[in-house]
């Protein structure tokens, strides 16, 4: 088992970061019925950990007995029936799923599942707590229609089920949904907190940590706790005992993107653009989300760029990022950004060096 | 009449003509002989008609005779409305039929081709039958290049009979019901054709259908191959024809019409090609007819004008000839149409002669402004080639004009050497999305190496097009009209963006147009995603659903380092190695799909 999973806090009391939020949540569910919840915050901040601990708080250990299923739904959509296949994770009391995996048919998923859950309402041994919890991941990636249908079903079935929504950016969730939920922002842990967690794990694993090593990992991981722990484990596999100047292995796709950035800086021509496209395809094949590719690419390019170009380049990156959301095929927009960058940079080089 | 509507010109006018040669317009089965000859008052009409056109009737070939016979029939039907006194042609008659070539000189087909066919036929007819092991000639060419006309004229020239197989008319359902209640069994048209070929192969042509002329030579003509739907029917047709080629003793001519411009998704063109190849390998000879040259068309048109005494300007004829695209039948019909309204012709020739030469040339191919002209269809690749190569005039004529709208230097482009992009799109029946994908895949090859700014503007327009194309996928999908507008706007932006952005096209050389790699990428990406999520469950025991993006960016690299790969049910390599094998798989899948599609299509023809 990975350390990330092994040392994931099981209960709200064990939580090391966001302790205050954890206590509040505990109070919330012990005292009364909980409202719909919306957790948002950057990746690796601990949203999922808190949600799982919360479920355990509500339902006890039965919430941990989960099974993974590939479920098929037949949705009757007017004139035709739609077949949907989705992976769900469910226990007796909750169902977790990622509706955005269903692509543009996500709205059917949302409606259908909630309806189904509302139908077979569980009865507790004590005859209380007659509700199920539905955990929806990546709500911000839901299409607008799906969010609308979510809003409606939320109201309709609120007696029998609670929703816990989880997303990175609440700005992409419609106002209507946000107002129906208790919004809980989970901040990224600070570097000190990350270091604390790493040291805790190190102690549990009986590892000798050189001073400053955990801090370096924390710095590298960009305030992403999950990533910090993963890198920590990788370092452990790579070399133990740790050395103070041990290299922390970067993610392979990040290296690949920085390679692309170097390519772009070296030559600006349509031919090179075509090569870059091939490399971006590689990333996309491996399911690296295009937004992350673009963001990372910008990051790498900015590192090497003259200060006076930075503003313009950032502007175009933002422009094409927006386009990407509106559009359908990310590669069109990534490529347009790369082309724009090449064109700017080439002009700059000619102006500076003649 | 039976279920076969074969029209038979029977020998009712044998006596008064007494010409040595005569045409059977259709091959007829004895039992289904249907004859309207009894109602044909040809003897009564004949003298008048031949009298009115006596100069021609001397050289009347058998082809013409048929026409006359039909004319008679028409007249009967029309209640003798045609006054015999009219010197000009009555308009009921199509010029295409009226001016069918009657001699070798009148043929617009290239002399060499005619000669080739003629010598082939003569050799087969004169020498003993067993001298040649191949008795089949395939003539190919697009529609309206005079394939049939050539053979008909040659046959009458060397005095041979033509025996034609004409595909029987399709049986409609009511007819079928009626027939089956009358006890007639249905036979498919392909069966009928097979039976016919079988008979010809075994017994030669049935002489009883040519009473009294046993000594003259016969040429079998198969003009209309039965339509085959599905692979199986086509295979039957092929074997049947190959057998014919191998064993027939009668000189046989098979016409195969090329569908060069047809949609590439249609199987017919491919099958016809396959058919030709297998027939050739079985020993058939082949003559390919090219589209008729503009000059030849013009010559013919001028001749017709002279004979009809219409005054059509040379320019106008030139236009018709060019617009016809080598299809003489079409050209003649266009001519007849434009002669129907003499005043219009006048207007057009006036307006055409006024503007400058270049403008007129631009008008020539503009199918919208002309009342005739074939609407050319283009293949997708042809259209893409036009867009990508981006051919432009050497200098901007319009820019010298004061009236034109002035744009900044950097935005102005030379005029395109093609129709409006939207029109080309329409001709190619292009779907917006694939067009955009194809352009995106290929456009970078066509940019010159230095032109980075161009590359940006092209990719930027493609990105715009993508946004347009994507925006209908949600709500608007229900409203077809809105969707259509968005679709065509998206396609138009993509195409015009590519044309406008590429202001320094690289010197034109041969580029292969690739299939968008994007399609594969999308497929394998979604597959990988599923695989990855699955792997996550097996690799480590978790109690929460991982988000796909987190999986890809954080877990998988780590899992790779930690050597979890070995424990996964199905290893798959990250980055570089992974894609190649997948591509192969997909290609294989693609082929399989196609095959299964074909086999699905196999419906017994009804």
């Amino acid at each position: 088992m990975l350390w990330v999973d092994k040392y994931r806090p099981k209960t709200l009391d064990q939580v090391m970061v966001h302790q205050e939020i954890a206590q509040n949540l505990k109070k919330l569910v012990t005292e009364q019925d909980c409202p719909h919840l919306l957790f948002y915050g950057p990746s690796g901040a601990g949203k999922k950990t808190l949600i799982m601990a919360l479920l355990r708080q509500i339902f006890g250990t039965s919430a941990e007995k989960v099974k993974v299923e590939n479920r098929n739904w037949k949705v009757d959509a007017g004139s035709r029936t739609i077949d949907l296949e989705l992976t769900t994770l469910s226990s007796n009391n909750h169902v977790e799923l990622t509706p955005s995996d269903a692509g543009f048919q996500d709205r059917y998923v949302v409606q259908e599942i909630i309806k189904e859950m509302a139908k077979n309402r569980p009865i507790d041994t004590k005859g209380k707590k007659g509700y199920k919890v539905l955990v929806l991941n990546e709500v911000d990636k839901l299409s607008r229609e799906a969010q609308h249908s979510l809003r409606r079903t939320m109201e309709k079935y609120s007696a029998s089920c609670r929703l816990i929504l989880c997303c990175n950016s609440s700005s992409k969730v419609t106002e209507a949904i946000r107002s129906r939920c208790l919004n809980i922002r989970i901040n990224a842990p600070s570097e000190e907190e990350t270091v604390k967690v790493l040291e805790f794990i190190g102690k549990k694993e009986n590892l000798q940590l050189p001073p400053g090593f955990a801090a370096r990992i924390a710095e590298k991981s960009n305030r992403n706790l999950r990533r910090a722990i993963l890198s920590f484990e990788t370092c452990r596999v790579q070399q133990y005992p740790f050395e103070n100047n041990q290299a922390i292995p970067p993610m392979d796709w990040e290296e690949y993107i920085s390679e692309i950035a170097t390519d772009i800086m070296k030559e600006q021509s349509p031919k090179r653009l075509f090569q870059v496209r091939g490399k971006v395809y590689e990333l996309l094949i491996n399911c690296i989300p295009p937004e992350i590719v673009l963001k990372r690419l910008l990051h790498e390019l900015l590192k090497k760029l003259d200060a006076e170009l930075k503003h313009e380049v950032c502007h175009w990156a933002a422009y094409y990022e927006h386009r990407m959301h509106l559009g359908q095929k990310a590669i069109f927009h990534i490529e347009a950004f790369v082309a724009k960058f090449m064109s700017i940079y080439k002009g700059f080089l000619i102006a500076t060096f003649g | 009449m039976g279920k076969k509507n074969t029209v038979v010109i029977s020998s009712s006018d044998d006596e008064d003509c007494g010409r040595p040669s005569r045409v059977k317009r259709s091959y007829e089965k004895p039992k289904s002989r249907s004859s309207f000859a009894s109602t044909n008052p040809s003897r009564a009409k004949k003298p008048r008609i031949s009298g009115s056109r006596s100069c021609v009737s001397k050289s009347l070939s058998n082809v013409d005779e048929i026409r006359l016979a039909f004319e008679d029939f028409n007249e009967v039907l029309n209640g003798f409305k045609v006054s015999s006194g009219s010197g000009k042609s009555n308009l009921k008659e199509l010029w295409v039929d009226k001016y069918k070539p009657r001699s070798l000189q009148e043929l617009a087909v290239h002399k060499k081709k005619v000669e080739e066919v003629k010598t082939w036929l003569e050799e087969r007819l004169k020498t003993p039958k067993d001298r040649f092991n191949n008795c089949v000639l395939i003539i190919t060419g697009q529609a309206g290049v005079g394939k049939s006309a050539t053979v008909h004229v040659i046959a009458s020239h060397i005095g041979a009979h033509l025996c034609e197989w004409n595909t029987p008319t399709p049986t409609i359902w009511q007819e079928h019901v009626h027939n089956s209640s009358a006890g007639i069994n249905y036979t498919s048209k392909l069966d009928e054709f097979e039976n016919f070929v079988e008979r010809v192969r075994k017994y030669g042509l049935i002489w009883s259908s040519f009473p009294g002329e046993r000594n003259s030579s016969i040429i079998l003509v198969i003009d209309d191959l039965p339509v085959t739907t599905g692979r199986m029917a086509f295979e039957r047709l092929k074997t049947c024809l190959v057998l014919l080629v191998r064993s027939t003793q009668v000189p046989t001519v098979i016409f195969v019409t090329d569908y060069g411009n047809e949609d590439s998704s249609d199987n017919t063109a491919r099958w016809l090609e396959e058919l030709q190849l297998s027939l050739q390998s079985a020993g058939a000879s082949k003559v390919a007819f090219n589209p008729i040259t503009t000059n030849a068309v013009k010559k013919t048109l001028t001749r017709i004008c002279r004979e009809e005494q219409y005054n059509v300007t040379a320019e106008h004829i030139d236009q018709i000839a060019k617009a016809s695209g080598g299809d003489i039948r079409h050209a003649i019909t266009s001519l007849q149409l434009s002669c129907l309204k003499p005043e219009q012709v006048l207007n057009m020739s006036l307006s055409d002669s006024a503007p400058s030469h270049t403008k007129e040339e631009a008008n020539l191919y503009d199918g919208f402004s002309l009342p005739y002209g074939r609407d050319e269809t283009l293949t997708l690749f042809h259209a893409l080639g036009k867009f990508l190569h981006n051919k432009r005039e050497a200098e901007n004529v319009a820019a010298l004009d004061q009236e034109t709208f002035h744009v900044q230097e950097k935005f102005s482009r030379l005029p395109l050497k093609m129709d409006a992009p939207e029109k080309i799109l329409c001709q190619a029946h292009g779907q917006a999305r694939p067009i955009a994908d194809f352009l995106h895949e290929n456009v970078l090859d066509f940019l010159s190496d230095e032109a980075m700014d161009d590359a940006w503007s092209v990719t930027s327009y493609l990105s715009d097009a993508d946004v347009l194309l994507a925006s209908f996928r949600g709500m608007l999908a229900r409203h077809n009209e809105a969707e259509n507008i968005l679709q065509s706007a998206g396609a138009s932006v993509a195409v015009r963006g590519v044309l406008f952005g590429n202001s320094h096209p690289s010197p034109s050389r041969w580029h292969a147009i690739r299939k968008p790699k994007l399609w594969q990428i999308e497929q394998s990406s979604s597959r990988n995603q599923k695989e990855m999520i699955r792997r996550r469950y097996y690799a480590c025991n978790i109690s929460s659903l991982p988000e796909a993006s987190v999986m890809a960016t954080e877990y998988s690299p780590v899992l790779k380092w930690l050597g979890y790969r070995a424990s996964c049910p199905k290893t798959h390599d990250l980055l570089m190695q992974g894609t190649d094998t997948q591509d192969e798989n997909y290609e294989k899948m693609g082929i399989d799909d196609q095959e299964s599609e074909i086999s699905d299509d196999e419906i017994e023809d009804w």
Side-chain angles (χ1 to χ4, degrees):
Chain A
M1 193 190 252
L2 290 174
W3 290 355
V4 196
D5 298 317
K6 196 170 165 188
Y7 296 104
R8 192 193 282 267
K10 294 280 186 299
T11 62
L12 289 172
D13 294 322
Q14 288 172 7
V15 169
M16 289 183 73
V17 290
H18 311 300
Q19 277 163 349
E20 200 180 323
I21 295 175
Q23 289 311 315
N24 282 339
L25 285 174
K26 195 178 167 186
K27 257 187 260 168
L28 184 76
V29 293
T30 44
E31 278 176 17
Q32 56 185 339
D33 197 4
C34 86
H36 298 305
L37 297 173
L38 171 65
F39 286 81
Y40 64 98
S43 174
K47 299 181 293 293
K48 269 313 202 21
T49 309
L50 280 171
I51 291 171
M52 281 156 59
L54 182 71
L55 287 174
R56 197 189 140 116
Q57 184 73 43
I58 302 172
F59 300 112
T61 44
S62 69
E64 278 168 13
K65 288 183 190 115
V66 292
K67 59 174 195 275
V68 177
E69 271 182 301
N70 262 322
R71 296 273 305 270
N72 284 305
W73 276 281
K74 277 201 195 310
V75 182
D76 186 26
S79 54
R80 68 216 158 100
T81 50
I82 298 169
D83 280 310
L84 289 172
E85 193 189 323
L86 209 64
T87 318
T88 63
L89 197 87
S90 56
S91 74
N92 284 337
N93 304 102
H94 85 284
V95 178
E96 177 179 350
L97 75 165
T98 314
S100 58
D101 284 353
F104 62 94
Q105 284 163 337
D106 48 8
R107 63 202 149 121
Y108 300 117
V109 177
V110 169
Q111 266 176 344
E112 209 54 27
I113 293 168
I114 297 181
K115 224 183 278 174
E116 191 191 285
M117 279 178 54
K119 266 185 217 155
N120 41 24
R121 196 169 155 174
I123 296 170
D124 206 22
T125 41
K126 291 165 206 151
K128 284 195 297 181
K129 275 178 196 158
Y131 63 87
K132 259 191 166 184
V133 172
L134 176 63
V135 182
L136 296 180
N137 292 321
E138 297 184 8
V139 187
D140 50 350
K141 292 209 180 119
L142 284 183
S143 64
R144 218 134 259 277
E145 291 81 31
Q147 295 198 18
H148 278 296
S149 69
L150 183 61
R151 183 198 73 96
R152 182 77 195 102
T153 32
M154 249 164 125
E155 276 180 349
K156 210 169 163 188
Y157 299 108
S158 67
S160 56
C161 87
R162 294 286 168 277
L163 291 181
I164 297 184
L165 311 177
C166 178
C167 64
N168 284 346
S169 149
S170 70
S171 66
K172 283 170 189 159
V173 180
T174 55
E175 200 67 53
I177 290 180
R178 269 189 283 163
S179 86
R180 282 170 175 75
C181 296
L182 177 66
N183 292 12
I184 299 169
R185 177 177 165 80
I186 313 292
N187 289 319
S190 65
E191 281 182 21
E192 293 82 54
E193 282 172 317
T194 312
V195 169
K196 223 167 70 190
V197 172
L198 291 182
E199 277 168 352
F200 167 77
I201 292 174
K203 212 163 72 190
K204 286 268 182 182
E205 290 281 322
N206 289 322
L207 300 176
Q208 290 296 316
L209 278 175
F213 185 68
R216 267 180 55 216
I217 293 179
E219 188 199 333
K220 268 268 184 183
S221 61
N222 206 14
R223 291 181 75 192
N224 181 336
L225 189 58
R226 175 176 43 232
R227 199 161 155 197
I229 300 173
L230 285 169
S231 323
F232 186 44
E233 191 175 358
T234 325
C235 291
R236 163 75 179 78
V237 173
Q238 225 171 28
Q239 190 180 15
Y240 187 78
F242 295 123
E243 280 171 27
N244 211 353
N245 55 354
Q246 183 179 345
I248 294 153
M251 299 285 171
D252 53 0
W253 60 272
E254 289 184 348
E255 268 181 299
Y256 202 66
I257 291 183
S258 87
E259 212 174 281
I260 295 177
T262 322
D263 282 352
I264 294 174
M265 300 298 279
K266 249 187 229 152
E267 188 193 322
Q268 296 84 34
S269 69
K271 221 176 267 160
R272 181 50 63 95
L273 184 60
F274 184 70
Q275 289 164 7
V276 168
R277 179 200 293 174
K279 292 190 169 182
V280 174
Y281 276 154
E282 291 294 338
L283 290 167
L284 294 181
I285 276 190
N286 287 288
C287 311
I288 312 287
E291 304 85 40
I292 294 184
V293 173
L294 186 61
K295 200 168 146 191
R296 188 74 203 174
L297 186 60
L298 175 69
H299 181 74
E300 294 289 339
L301 288 173
L302 286 180
K303 268 199 240 169
K304 304 172 186 182
L305 204 59
D306 198 276
E308 66 180 279
L309 292 182
K310 280 185 181 171
H311 175 74
E312 194 181 354
V313 169
C314 285
H315 164 77
W316 286 107
Y319 177 80
Y320 285 113
E321 207 267 339
H322 180 58
R323 281 307 177 85
M324 199 148 72
H325 277 290
L326 296 178
Q328 215 170 1
K329 309 225 167 176
I331 186 72
F332 279 54
H333 311 283
I334 294 180
E335 199 174 302
F337 167 69
V338 173
K340 184 65 191 172
F341 177 84
M342 282 180 166
S343 147
I344 293 172
Y345 192 66
K346 193 176 182 190
F348 170 74
L349 286 183
I350 289 171
T352 325
F353 304 108
Chain B
M1 266 192 220
K3 66 197 164 71
K4 266 166 231 83
N5 296 336
T6 43
V7 170
V8 176
I9 310 302
S10 69
S11 46
S12 61
D13 45 16
D14 274 350
E15 310 90 297
D16 57 359
C17 298
R19 290 195 191 87
S21 66
R22 203 171 35 75
V23 181
K24 299 299 284 183
R25 267 305 285 187
S26 74
Y27 176 79
E28 114 249 26
K29 292 181 186 172
K31 60 168 183 176
S32 68
R33 172 185 293 258
S34 62
S35 155
F36 57 75
S38 53
T39 64
N40 187 351
S42 64
R43 245 144 306 186
K45 288 281 156 283
K46 201 85 206 171
R48 195 196 64 211
I49 285 163
S50 45
S52 66
R53 316 203 301 125
S54 56
C55 52
V56 198
S57 68
K58 286 284 177 266
S59 64
L60 264 190
S61 73
N62 38 16
V63 180
D64 206 27
E65 191 183 317
I66 288 168
R67 194 189 49 69
L68 282 176
F70 271 118
E71 200 173 60
D72 288 351
F73 187 48
N74 273 340
E75 282 179 61
V76 175
L77 287 181
N78 293 332
F80 306 99
K81 271 186 205 148
V82 183
S83 66
S84 57
S86 67
K88 281 188 183 181
S89 75
N90 52 51
L91 291 173
K92 279 203 200 73
E93 191 175 25
L94 285 180
W95 288 3
V96 180
D97 294 327
K98 188 171 172 187
Y99 292 100
K100 247 194 177 157
R102 285 171 213 107
S103 63
L104 290 177
Q105 286 75 35
E106 282 183 18
L107 271 178
V109 184
H110 197 274
K111 293 276 179 301
K112 269 186 192 158
K113 295 282 180 193
V114 178
E115 199 57 34
E116 208 176 322
V117 177
K118 192 171 147 225
T119 42
W120 189 90
L121 284 173
E122 276 172 350
E123 273 174 3
R124 294 303 181 284
L125 289 174
K126 276 175 192 154
T127 49
K129 296 249 156 79
D130 45 351
R131 277 281 307 281
F132 292 96
N133 48 6
N134 63 331
C135 267
V136 175
L137 178 71
I138 309 171
I139 299 183
T140 65
Q142 65 177 54
V145 293
K147 298 186 290 292
S148 323
T150 309
V151 172
H152 282 292
V153 168
I154 291 174
S156 71
H157 184 78
I158 58 182
H161 287 293
L162 283 185
C163 174
E164 267 193 59
W165 160 261
N166 271 8
T167 315
T169 40
T171 317
I172 54 173
W173 178 245
Q174 282 88 340
E175 199 180 346
H176 174 65
V177 171
H178 178 260
N179 283 344
S180 46
S181 66
I184 303 170
N185 284 330
Y186 173 77
T187 46
S188 85
K189 307 304 166 199
L190 185 57
D191 283 340
E192 274 175 42
F193 182 72
E194 269 183 338
N195 290 341
F196 164 70
V197 168
E198 183 95 340
R199 253 199 325 276
V200 168
R201 235 162 26 84
K202 282 183 182 153
Y203 315 116
L205 285 168
I206 301 145
W207 288 99
S208 60
S209 54
F210 302 92
E213 298 179 30
R214 283 167 188 280
N215 47 356
S216 73
S217 39
I218 286 184
I219 301 168
L220 174 64
V221 174
I222 298 175
D223 196 345
D224 226 356
L225 290 177
V227 177
T228 54
T229 51
R231 187 80 211 173
M232 224 160 68
F234 169 70
E235 289 295 340
R236 267 173 66 197
L237 176 65
K238 199 169 91 178
T239 36
C240 154
L241 282 174
V242 166
L243 276 175
L244 176 74
V245 169
R246 291 230 176 93
S247 56
T248 184
Q249 296 296 309
V250 188
T252 305
V253 182
I254 301 175
F255 297 120
V256 178
T257 308
D258 282 342
Y259 298 99
N261 282 340
E262 282 297 288
D263 204 355
S264 52
S265 63
D266 194 9
N267 282 330
T268 320
R270 216 173 55 212
W271 285 351
L272 282 180
E273 217 157 277
E274 196 185 317
L275 184 70
Q276 279 173 40
L277 283 179
S278 56
L279 291 188
Q280 271 177 284
S281 64
S285 352
K286 176 184 164 181
V287 175
F289 277 29
N290 296 325
I292 296 177
T293 54
T294 317
N295 277 337
V297 176
K298 268 199 290 197
K299 229 169 80 187
T300 313
L301 294 184
T302 327
R303 180 172 60 85
I304 293 173
C305 287
R306 210 174 44 238
E307 285 183 25
E308 288 288 329
Q309 296 165 10
Y310 273 118
N311 195 11
V312 181
T313 57
E315 229 168 52
H316 190 68
I317 286 179
D318 191 54
Q319 275 189 0
I320 294 177
K322 274 184 182 158
S324 72
D327 180 346
I328 193 158
R329 185 160 31 203
H330 180 83
I332 295 175
T333 320
S334 306
L335 182 71
Q336 186 174 12
L337 172 70
S338 57
C339 286
L340 279 177
K341 304 177 198 164
E343 64 284 2
Q344 192 194 352
V345 175
L346 203 66
N347 286 341
M348 272 182 43
S349 53
L350 275 179
S351 67
D352 275 343
S353 57
S356 66
H357 187 66
T358 47
K359 194 138 182 197
E360 187 192 79
E361 222 170 46
N363 273 346
L364 270 184
Y365 295 100
D366 195 352
F368 292 137
S369 68
L370 293 181
Y372 43 78
R374 276 150 62 115
D375 275 343
E376 288 291 323
T377 54
L378 293 171
T379 61
L380 176 65
F381 288 95
H382 194 154
L384 285 171
K386 278 186 180 226
F387 298 143
L388 290 168
H389 279 291
N390 196 8
K391 295 237 168 69
R392 285 168 189 276
E393 303 288 343
E395 57 181 302
N396 196 346
V397 186
L400 302 174
D401 227 342
Q402 286 302 310
E403 292 163 28
T404 50
F405 180 66
H406 279 284
V407 287
Q408 279 180 31
E409 180 80 21
K410 65 171 175 172
F411 293 130
S412 71
R413 299 280 187 274
L414 295 169
L416 288 169
K417 257 192 197 167
M418 61 178 102
D419 291 326
E422 286 77 18
K423 196 188 158 203
I424 295 178
L425 273 179
C426 176
Q427 285 173 343
H429 305 292
Q431 293 272 310
R433 186 34 92 178
I435 290 257
D437 288 348
F438 266 106
L439 288 176
H440 169 254
E441 177 68 36
N442 293 294
V443 73
L444 290 181
D445 290 353
F446 292 83
L447 297 172
S448 93
D449 276 349
E450 294 304 304
M452 202 56 235
D453 293 344
D454 288 357
W456 168 64
S457 61
V458 166
T459 50
S460 169
Y461 279 116
L462 286 176
S463 139
D464 289 343
D466 179 55
V467 171
L468 280 174
L469 289 178
S471 49
F472 80 84
R473 82 176 175 165
M475 306 282 274
L476 284 175
R478 269 168 307 210
H479 308 296
N480 280 329
E481 274 178 38
E483 183 186 328
N484 282 341
I485 290 172
L486 269 173
Q487 287 270 0
S488 41
S492 174
V493 166
V495 169
R496 283 192 181 269
V498 164
L499 289 171
F500 170 81
N502 187 4
S503 60
H504 309 89
S506 64
S508 72
R509 61 200 149 95
W510 188 81
H511 290 283
I513 286 188
R514 290 180 303 264
K515 177 179 122 189
K517 208 180 159 198
L518 184 60
W519 297 347
Q520 281 174 17
I521 303 287
E522 281 170 349
Q523 277 181 321
S524 45
S525 162
S526 67
R527 216 173 49 153
N528 278 359
Q529 186 159 341
K530 275 191 193 133
E531 169 77 5
M532 198 169 59
I533 289 175
R534 200 167 59 88
R535 203 173 46 164
R536 170 88 168 109
Y537 294 131
Y538 298 115
C540 31
N541 174 24
I542 48 122
S543 52
S544 156
L545 268 185
E547 287 165 32
S549 60
V550 171
M551 259 318 283
T553 52
E554 293 177 25
Y555 281 110
S556 6
V558 172
L559 286 176
K560 210 171 71 171
W561 274 316
L562 298 181
Y564 267 82
R565 267 200 297 179
S567 66
C568 309
K570 185 184 170 190
T571 58
H572 91 192
D573 300 334
L574 234 93
L575 294 183
M576 308 310 284
Q577 303 99 324
T579 50
D580 296 331
T581 52
Q582 275 156 21
D583 289 359
E584 272 174 30
N585 282 343
Y586 276 115
E587 252 157 46
K588 231 190 276 164
M589 267 171 54
I591 292 167
D592 287 345
D593 282 353
Q594 250 177 15
E595 273 171 6
S596 65
E597 229 175 70
I598 288 166
S599 59
D600 283 347
D601 277 351
E602 277 173 3
I603 306 161
E604 286 291 324
D605 51 344
W606 44 283

